[in-house]
Amino acid sequence: MEKRFYLSETDKKIGGVCGGIAEYFGIDSLLVRAVFLILMFGYGTGVLAYLVLWLLAPKKNQIV
């Protein structure tokens, strides 16, 4: 079975992006959220990256 990135349905605060990344890589979602916060406040790219992933990433129950 091919490993794919999906938005998380169970580990989400806003859109499930951080939870989906954490599930894909097998790491804690708190670490992923911390990286997004650092990118957001440090470089300003965290919000843009989150929104792009939220819009483009499929949900797990969608047929691809």
Side-chain angles (χ1 to χ4, degrees):
M1 184 173 187
E2 185 179 333
K3 187 175 180 181
R4 298 214 40 198
F5 168 70
Y6 296 102
L7 296 175
S8 177
E9 293 292 325
T10 57
D11 186 13
K12 67 180 189 178
K13 300 294 182 191
I14 298 175
V17 173
C18 293
I21 292 171
E23 289 173 5
Y24 181 82
F25 288 109
I27 58 175
D28 188 20
S29 61
L30 184 61
L31 178 65
V32 178
R33 289 183 179 100
V35 169
F36 269 100
L37 282 174
I38 291 168
L39 289 174
M40 183 176 75
F41 289 116
Y43 302 103
T45 58
V47 174
L48 180 62
Y50 191 93
L51 290 174
V52 168
L53 286 171
W54 192 7
L55 291 172
L56 297 179
K59 293 181 180 177
K60 211 171 218 177
N61 58 3
Q62 286 181 337
I63 298 173
V64 178

